[in-house]
Amino acid sequence: MEQEFKLLRLSNGDMIICQILSENDNELTISTPYKLMVRELVDGIVTGVLKWLPYTDEETIKFNRDHIS
């Protein structure tokens, strides 16, 4: 089965690329989150990804839906 990644825009302005494992009215459970970084340079725009929470060993992360804009 192919893994599908989604882009979430958080209320603090972060853009997260992740897999959504489950969701309900109040919270989302995600895995493999990466932060999308966009930088404007003199030559153009550069896009990259960084691990969103680099200092955790957690496989899945739950957070409140109110934090998604």
Side-chain angles (χ1 to χ4, degrees), residues 6-59:
K6 301 282 185 169
L7 177 66
L8 302 177
R9 185 178 304 263
L10 303 182
S11 59
N12 68 354
D14 286 351
M15 290 186 288
I16 304 298
I17 300 170
C18 63
Q19 291 179 305
I20 298 177
L21 301 178
S22 66
E23 58 184 301
N24 60 36
D25 292 340
N26 298 323
E27 69 181 16
L28 255 81
T29 303
I30 64 170
S31 70
T32 59
Y34 292 93
K35 181 177 179 178
L36 182 64
M37 302 292 292
V38 179
R39 297 285 186 244
E40 189 171 338
L41 302 175
V42 177
D43 299 8
I45 296 175
V46 177
T47 305
V49 292
L50 297 170
K51 191 170 179 182
W52 183 47
L53 298 172
Y55 303 110
T56 184
D57 292 332
E58 295 294 322
E59 297 279 328

